[in-house]
Amino acid sequence: MLDQRLVRDNPDFIAQQLGRRGLDVDLTGLQLIANQQRDLEERRSSLQAEGNTVGKQVGLKIKGGADPKGSEVAELRHRGNTIKQQVAVLEEEEKQLSSKLREQLLSFPNLPSVDCPEGRSEADNKEVRRWGEPRKAEGLEEHWQIADRLGLLETERSVRIAQSRFVTLMGQGARLERALINFMLDLHCSKGYKEVLPPVLVNSASLQGSGQLPKFAEESFRCADDDLWLTPTAEVPVTSLHRDEIIPADLLPVRYVAYSPCFRREAGSYGRDTRGLIRLHQFNKVELYWFSHPDQSDQAHAQITADAEAVLQALDLPYRVLDLCTGDIGFSAARTYDLEVWLAGAGAYREISSCSVCGDFQARRSSIRTKEGKATRLVHTLNGSGLAIGRTMAAVLENGQQADGSVLLPEALAPYFGADRLQPE
RNA sequence: GGAGAGGUGGCCGAGUGGUCGAAGGCGCAGCACUGGAAAUGCUGUAUAGGGGCAACUCUAUCGAGGGUUCGAAUCCCUCCCUCUCCGCCA
């Protein structure tokens, strides 16, 4: 959420920054609302001050022996009543303006960071580095072909269980998924992240706090009879872990690693990535999350990205890092590095992690602050996949496939899987 | 699902109509005492918004919303949540 003071003081700056995202917004109307709201608040509170004085006087008079039914007290009562009525009118008006203001503020995306590269679409993203040697050869299978051949997943039967875009992992596939989750959690924990296993049903306040609501309701699954939604990412429950809290500055940064299944409706993606593990309504993810001191979020961003990259390096999976442009970063993000893993069968890099710094955007929505001396300040939040499990499995399968039909696993994974390769059954 | 109890500051806990943002205690911070510390004493210690260069000041907040009243933590209504017992259940 944007700062309403900024709306009053410098709406042009907001418009200009949102312009970098490709949005054309006019904030004069909103500025007017914000100013009117502030003026109303001033008038209302001074009236209330007057009313408070009147109330106190009545008490004092009666205590001082004045006749509670006498004219002196009656006059004060009358004044109190008049003020009460005036306050009620102002309050009602102010309330309407405030909720209108908040509603609109909640619908604006974050302002891009000054360092975020300019651009309109993903075509303008900037590649910043590559790691590893991509395996290139003719006749390599895509991961869904390998999975099919090795019996790692039930796709068609999953439609019977749920719908399309759900899979059931079987045998070695299920075991590999579990191995990947454990491997990643252990790796991050060894670097000081605290492990979190959050609820996967979250209330709407939590979704609003991290930026999924009100704008992206159609992207999440909702429970019909409760104010509960299936979480689209562990970022949502972890943000709300500290909602409405003040985190002492000496505890920052607070770093969490959270495994959770993630649920997304993928509305509007019909026909894209219909096969395999790339785009599902339900998938597993290990998520990194930081609550950072506001002055240290840039370093934190570099670190969280490095921590996500460490997984790919440990698994010996080639990847590249993109600095997403202003036109491609997500709603809550100020700046984002995407990690794209090499898929040898598809012969392409594919997003496997998104590491974003959100500045105070989520912290303001969720009211998460820290304290320095007497002043409270909003913390900065960061999140990064470390990593998406299904896509990692796809990469492991495609990059490790052998001529004999087996899949050689990355060395680091063998102890978790209990064998160094997947064998045809 | 049935029955009951309760929601007050970082925590515990007092407060049933007036000067109460709220006694007292704990915790925390500063100062004093000490060679240093403990103990002790003193002082301070909520959040948000508005105004002011600042000192400071105004308003709101005692689960949420509404009502009664000149005045509500306190009275009335509605809702939410938590806890305990019983039932059911992984």
Side-chain angles (χ1 to χ4, degrees), chain A residues 291-402:
Chain A
F291 296 90
S292 150
H293 187 283
D295 296 336
Q296 267 135 42
S297 54
D298 283 343
Q299 300 95 290
H301 193 206
Q303 189 58 54
I304 198 173
T305 307
D307 290 340
E309 286 178 64
V311 181
L312 289 164
Q313 291 174 10
L315 294 176
D316 210 22
L317 296 171
Y319 66 91
R320 62 176 183 175
V321 182
L322 301 182
D323 192 351
L324 298 196
C325 74
T326 51
D328 201 31
I329 54 173
F331 184 78
S332 298
R335 195 180 187 193
T336 298
Y337 292 117
D338 264 11
L339 309 187
E340 293 190 339
V341 71
W342 177 254
L343 294 180
Y349 283 100
R350 200 66 212 244
E351 179 187 340
I352 196 168
S353 172
S354 201
C355 301
S356 301
V357 57
C358 299
D360 62 16
F361 186 80
Q362 292 178 322
R364 182 173 293 107
R365 287 171 161 252
S366 297
S367 187
I368 305 171
R369 295 142 292 165
T370 188
K371 197 152 189 177
E372 282 179 319
K374 284 202 82 148
T376 57
R377 286 179 74 186
L378 294 165
V379 300
H380 283 189
T381 59
L382 302 97
N383 64 81
S385 345
L387 308 160
I389 304 296
R391 291 187 180 186
T392 306
M393 188 186 297
V396 166
L397 295 178
E398 293 197 14
N399 293 320
Q401 59 184 296
Q402 305 296 308

Side-chain angles (χ1 to χ4, degrees), chain A residues 243-257:
Chain A
R243 180 147 48 86
D244 297 322
E245 279 186 28
I246 295 176
I247 303 173
D250 58 341
L251 294 183
L252 295 176
V254 177
R255 298 181 299 148
Y256 292 119
V257 56

